[in-house]
Amino acid sequence: MGEPRFLVVRLGSLGDIVHTFPAVAGLRESFPNARIVWLTHPRWELLIRSSGLASEIWATETRSLSSIRGIVRRIRGAHFTVAIDYQGLWKSAGLPLAAGVARRIGFSSETIREFGVPILYTDRVSCVTTHIADQNGELSLRAGAEHGVAGFALRVPEEDEAAVWDYLRRAAIERYIVLSPGGGWRSKCWPAERFGALCQMIYRALGVRCVVNYGPGEGDLAEAVRGAAGDARPLLYNGKLGQLMALLKNCCCVVGGDTGPLHLAIALGTPAVALFGPTNPARNGPYRSQDIVLRVAGAVRDHSRREETDASMLAIQVDAVFEAVRQRLGASL
């Protein structure tokens, strides 16, 4: 029979890919010599490569018909033993089907967000675990892995580490804490003025400056944090993925909501304080770490993606976050 040939499908996004790494590591641990091809969006190639888990990374742009046609032809020619769709969307499930992969593993309707997608799979997994990383691991188990999840390590390119340290030295920063105020939707974000107040408390009590990381379309949010921080003078940072990895890897602690940079920092081994409200940390929170999660009692899961800040996020006070930062740092400062 020979080694199996796995097509792993996880197109995006940052946090979701990070939560897929343990499951693909489970595959790699059980099948060290297998061909594992990871299908993703071009912007995440570096991240996946940094894990060392995939034999090959194939990129596709699902909004381009020519890209879809090309990747379907490439999949068809590779004769995969099984495709595992860790994403659970029509676009991710449809590619292996269109390419004629005979065995296609995915989530059952109880887990999947888009209605009807499981009809495209030959193997539909009804999950018994809660965290999304463990649920991904259940797909790996169905594919034959001995353990659904396993450990992994991310390698940050040396040139990105050097570039970030140069940037920080020019700002006279050696030790720093990263604040990540953004998010895919604003209702799960802690208010910018509170991040600014936290920045002030950290600077005055601990003597450490903060770096505010922000992504596309979040420049106004970062400026609002800096405006509220006053003489704490946080540095605003908006860099490429490799440099973001370097920034997160080398900071003392990261503070953020349920966002990709928070999960990436945790995967890099960085201490974290996670602020949760309308999303459930039991499913999406820090995975198998010693990190601190703040979420008020009575917070209700709500994925309606509203623009106004959720009441459960407003209930998280600045003093509580600062004490969590101090606790997470322990004796390191």
Side-chain angles (χ1 to χ4, degrees):
M1 293 291 290
E3 289 285 344
R5 298 177 300 279
F6 296 106
L7 177 67
V8 164
V9 186
R10 180 76 243 193
L11 304 172
S13 54
L14 176 54
D16 295 320
I17 289 174
V18 169
H19 282 152
T20 305
F21 282 147
V24 180
L27 279 180
R28 178 55 76 199
E29 179 185 71
S30 295
F31 304 99
N33 300 314
R35 185 186 187 193
I36 299 178
V37 174
W38 191 315
L39 185 61
T40 193
H41 187 277
R43 70 180 298 189
W44 305 119
E45 285 186 80
L46 184 147
L47 175 61
I48 296 167
R49 189 178 306 113
S50 77
S51 72
L53 295 171
S55 311
E56 301 168 58
I57 303 165
W58 293 357
T60 186
E61 172 54 77
T62 54
R63 290 175 294 187
S64 164
L65 187 57
S66 63
S67 180
I68 291 174
R69 285 173 175 165
I71 203 66
V72 166
R73 284 195 300 269
R74 194 173 184 186
I75 295 170
R76 184 177 293 119
H79 305 291
F80 288 104
T81 311
V82 58
I84 311 171
D85 178 19
Y86 293 101
Q87 187 143 2
L89 301 177
W90 282 103
K91 62 182 180 182
S92 58
L95 292 172
L97 175 67
V101 181
R103 189 181 181 203
R104 304 176 303 278
I105 299 173
F107 295 111
S108 68
S109 57
E110 294 87 359
T111 304
I112 239 158
R113 188 171 77 239
E114 290 190 355
F115 178 77
V117 172
I119 197 172
L120 304 184
Y121 306 133
T122 58
D123 294 46
R124 304 172 188 91
V125 177
S126 297
C127 294
V128 296
T129 55
T130 301
H131 198 283
I132 185 57
D134 290 320
Q135 292 180 355
N136 287 331
E138 293 189 57
L139 300 188
S140 296
L141 287 172
R142 179 64 67 89
E146 184 177 352
H147 302 108
V149 298
F152 65 94
L154 303 182
R155 180 186 174 278
V156 180
E158 292 180 3
E159 59 271 24
D160 289 319
E161 292 223 38
V164 168
W165 278 122
D166 181 65
Y167 180 72
L168 293 169
R169 275 193 294 268
R170 283 188 274 114
I173 293 177
E174 292 185 4
R175 308 192 77 188
Y176 59 98
I177 289 172
V178 171
L179 308 181
S180 190
W185 19 294
R186 292 292 172 96
S187 62
K188 64 175 180 176
C189 297
W190 204 44
E193 60 270 18
R194 297 196 188 182
F195 271 108
L198 175 65
C199 187
Q200 281 190 336
M201 293 184 74
I202 289 171
Y203 182 65
R204 292 171 183 172
L206 305 178
V208 177
R209 286 179 64 189
C210 291
V211 177
V212 180
N213 171 67
Y214 66 99
E218 295 176 348
D220 59 331
L221 194 60
E223 289 291 350
V225 174
R226 179 158 63 182
D231 60 3
R233 299 174 296 116
L235 184 67
L236 304 192
Y237 189 83
N238 174 235
K240 296 179 180 178
L241 179 59
Q243 294 180 11
L244 173 61
M245 293 174 70
L247 181 78
L248 295 172
K249 174 189 171 185
N250 294 301
C251 71
C252 301
C253 181
V254 63
V255 182
D258 179 13
T259 62
L262 175 88
H263 299 303
L264 178 58
I266 292 167
L268 288 162
T270 301
V273 173
L275 313 179
F276 274 71
T279 57
N280 181 8
R283 183 184 186 276
N284 301 323
Y287 183 63
R288 294 190 178 179
S289 70
Q290 302 302 311
D291 297 300
I292 297 173
V293 176
L294 297 180
R295 191 188 196 215
V296 297
V300 177
R301 182 178 180 273
D302 181 359
H303 285 229
S304 57
R305 306 195 173 208
R306 293 173 291 106
E307 282 299 307
E308 64 272 16
T309 304
D310 193 85
S312 60
M313 297 302 293
L314 295 174
I316 301 174
Q317 301 301 315
V318 176
D319 287 349
V321 179
F322 174 74
E323 287 305 318
V325 170
R326 191 199 293 271
Q327 179 184 340
R328 190 66 186 91
L329 291 172
S332 65
L333 280 177

